[in-house]
Amino acid sequence: EALSELNDADREAVLARYFDHQTFGQIAHTSGVSENAAQKRVERALDELHAALARRRITSTSAALGVVLANQVGTAAPAGLAAIITKAAVAEPLAAAVMTGWGLFTFMSTAKTLTVTGVFAVIGIGTGYLSTKAADRAEAALAFSARQEAALTAGLTEKEGRLQAVARRVQEAEEQNGKLLSAATQFRPGGTMLPAAAETPITSGLVSTRFKHAQELVQSGDPEAALKELLWCYDIGMPQISSMHAVRSSFAVGLLAKLSAQYPPALDAIRERRERARQLMLTDEKNPDAVTEFASINRALKQEAETVAVFDQLPTDDRRRRALASASYDYLVQSQRYADALVGRPYSSVSSLFETRIEERPLPLSMPNPEDVRRQTRISVIATAVKDIEMLAGAGEIAHARGLADRLLIYDGTDATRALIQKHAERAGQSGLLSPTDTR
């Protein structure tokens, strides 16, 4: 959720540096900027990510956040934090139902959501999904976990030696993972990969190591070996590790799509899995995982028309339609299919998300360039809100569209924001949405 608040350039910089393990030189080449500018962009993105987490009362330094991203990619949140928040979030039956059912999937499948642990998404949904009591418990749990993390950060600041000890432990873990990788990458004659041996259980560490190895193979230009590693992660490893399901439907699918652009067998493989997910989705209406896989593959291939085509085939009362529309929300709005976009993101969800994002939370006093962080957050909030206003107006929900526009102008009443609202209203065929005073 915090990653989704970054602008496209900063989010791509974080993903390239910490998920694709690119050097600053590689990022600079891809982005068309100098290496120094690429490094500054990554540092700025970390600051903004730091601020986004701080607004959720999860505090840390940007440097510590970089260490976590560099060494914990593909793993779940710290076990203690996950346990605390999960316990609070599922305290109410409604919350448990949302976490395990279609409500959570619908929230998580918006085009730019990159949530790895669903409990954070549940807490962020607001009163539309959680009772006040459950939300209060979740708030208390987050505050408690924030105090724990703050204490850890203070300890790291006081004693530099502790950070060095962490680095040594990370190195030892990497060596152990290397041994696991060596044991797991045995091949049958003909090149097919053996499943993990009985004495080498499939763990999050093993899957993370092999996924990282697949990324390295893509970077080094060995597509055949990269595809074998990647398909093991996608088909065998990640489905068995619950904390990696979201990684599978985002980063693993994205890497497959990237590989498919240069290596035709990878394109065949990803299309085969899309068709398998399509068939499973159409034959089992109670299988949200198939919907997730189908929609995520289409999004990675930039073929969201495929998702919308299935949406169009289903009866209007089929609950799979909401999940598919949510996954294709940006595409539907861009295509001016506003009523269908409303199926995926009803006004209650739009309103709750807007109120959550505009809530003022204090930034850490030590944060550099806090005004720049606030400015970037404001830009992101406005961009999302005007798109939602266009959708609501185009779908005929004029009162809701006007109400959201009024709330956005209270948040940011600049002429630029008024002009942007007017532009999107006109695109939706509602040029009179704002009053003459608002459009001055």
Side-chain angles (χ1 to χ4, degrees):
E1 182 181 346
L3 277 168
S4 70
E5 292 186 10
L6 303 182
N7 63 43
D8 290 344
D10 289 345
R11 183 169 53 254
E12 289 299 325
V14 170
L15 297 180
R17 178 63 175 165
Y18 297 110
F19 289 83
D20 283 342
H21 306 287
Q22 294 183 18
T23 65
F24 291 122
Q26 291 171 318
I27 298 172
H29 177 74
T30 302
S31 305
V33 299
S34 68
E35 185 169 343
N36 185 51
Q39 183 173 354
K40 288 183 177 179
R41 176 175 292 177
V42 171
E43 291 172 351
R44 182 186 65 198
L46 282 180
D47 289 340
E48 293 172 2
L49 188 58
H50 175 199
L53 292 172
R55 288 192 293 274
R56 292 160 174 80
R57 301 181 184 178
I58 302 172
T59 59
S60 177
T61 65
S62 296
L65 182 58
V67 172
V68 171
L69 284 171
N71 293 296
Q72 298 296 330
V73 171
T75 65
L81 176 60
I84 292 168
I85 296 177
T86 302
K87 181 177 180 181
V90 302
E92 298 292 333
L94 174 61
V98 170
M99 286 185 68
T100 57
W102 288 85
L104 174 60
F105 168 75
T106 301
F107 181 81
M108 288 180 64
S109 59
T110 55
K112 294 186 178 180
T113 297
L114 296 174
T115 308
V116 175
T117 52
V119 290
F120 287 97
V122 174
I123 291 169
I125 292 174
T127 56
Y129 291 96
L130 292 178
S131 67
T132 301
K133 182 178 179 181
D136 289 344
R137 290 178 180 174
E139 182 102 358
L142 280 174
F144 175 73
S145 63
R147 290 195 299 271
Q148 285 188 318
E149 203 277 342
L152 176 59
T153 301
L156 287 172
T157 303
E158 292 173 3
K159 295 187 180 294
E160 183 68 22
R162 294 188 183 182
L163 183 58
Q164 295 174 354
V166 170
R168 287 194 298 270
R169 288 197 294 271
V170 169
Q171 183 178 0
E172 292 170 359
E174 288 291 338
E175 293 173 355
Q176 181 63 25
N177 284 337
K179 294 177 182 178
L180 291 173
L181 178 61
S182 177
T185 53
Q186 302 299 318
F187 295 89
R188 293 191 184 98
T192 58
M193 184 172 289
L194 285 167
E199 61 272 20
T200 308
I202 295 177
T203 64
S204 60
L206 173 62
V207 178
S208 295
T209 298
R210 294 190 65 161
F211 184 54
K212 181 178 179 180
H213 184 51
Q215 293 174 300
E216 293 169 348
L217 290 170
V218 172
Q219 293 291 337
S220 65
D222 189 349
E224 182 178 2
L227 180 61
K228 290 178 180 178
E229 277 292 86
L230 191 52
L231 291 182
W232 181 92
C233 294
Y234 188 85
D235 293 336
I236 299 174
M238 290 180 176
Q240 297 190 43
I241 308 297
S242 60
S243 63
M244 302 198 75
H245 289 179
V247 178
R248 179 178 184 265
S249 63
S250 54
F251 301 113
V253 168
L255 189 59
L256 263 175
K258 178 180 178 180
L259 187 60
S260 69
Q262 56 183 276
Y263 186 55
L267 182 60
D268 294 338
I270 196 171
R271 285 176 172 171
E272 176 186 342
R273 281 148 184 81
R274 178 176 64 182
E275 186 58 30
R276 183 176 61 196
R278 184 205 306 270
Q279 295 302 321
L280 183 58
M281 174 182 61
L282 293 177
T283 56
D284 183 2
E285 65 179 35
K286 297 181 179 180
N287 191 332
D289 290 341
V291 179
T292 303
E293 182 173 12
F294 179 70
S296 65
I297 290 175
N298 287 328
R299 187 162 53 246
L301 292 175
K302 303 187 186 304
Q303 296 176 1
E304 290 176 283
E306 295 278 342
T307 303
V308 174
V310 174
F311 170 87
D312 290 336
Q313 295 173 12
L314 298 174
T316 56
D317 60 347
D318 194 307
R319 63 182 180 178
R320 288 169 292 184
R321 282 171 58 87
R322 179 173 180 180
L324 291 168
S326 179
S328 304
Y329 179 78
D330 286 351
Y331 177 87
L332 290 170
V333 174
Q334 183 62 33
S335 303
Q336 296 182 291
R337 295 183 53 170
Y338 302 119
D340 293 331
L342 183 63
V343 172
R345 190 175 296 181
Y347 174 71
S348 59
S349 297
V350 168
S351 177
S352 178
L353 181 60
F354 177 78
E355 293 299 332
T356 298
R357 297 194 69 188
I358 67 173
E359 182 181 350
E360 288 290 340
R361 296 179 177 88
L363 298 177
L365 296 177
S366 60
M367 173 174 289
N369 304 319
E371 291 307 315
D372 188 52
V373 172
R374 292 189 179 95
R375 181 180 62 82
Q376 292 294 340
T377 298
R378 185 171 292 267
I379 291 172
S380 176
V381 169
I382 293 170
T384 299
V386 295
K387 184 188 302 178
D388 291 340
I389 291 168
E390 177 186 335
M391 181 274 293
L392 292 168
E397 302 234 340
I398 305 301
H400 284 152
R402 186 170 287 127
L404 183 58
D406 290 342
R407 286 151 64 192
L408 179 57
L409 287 174
I410 292 173
Y411 173 72
D412 188 289
T414 63
D415 290 341
T417 296
R418 289 190 182 92
L420 199 55
I421 294 173
Q422 182 63 23
K423 176 182 177 181
H424 282 264
E426 290 174 355
R427 188 172 186 273
Q430 298 292 341
S431 58
L433 182 71
L434 294 179
S435 68
T437 301
D438 289 332
T439 57
R440 68 184 184 277

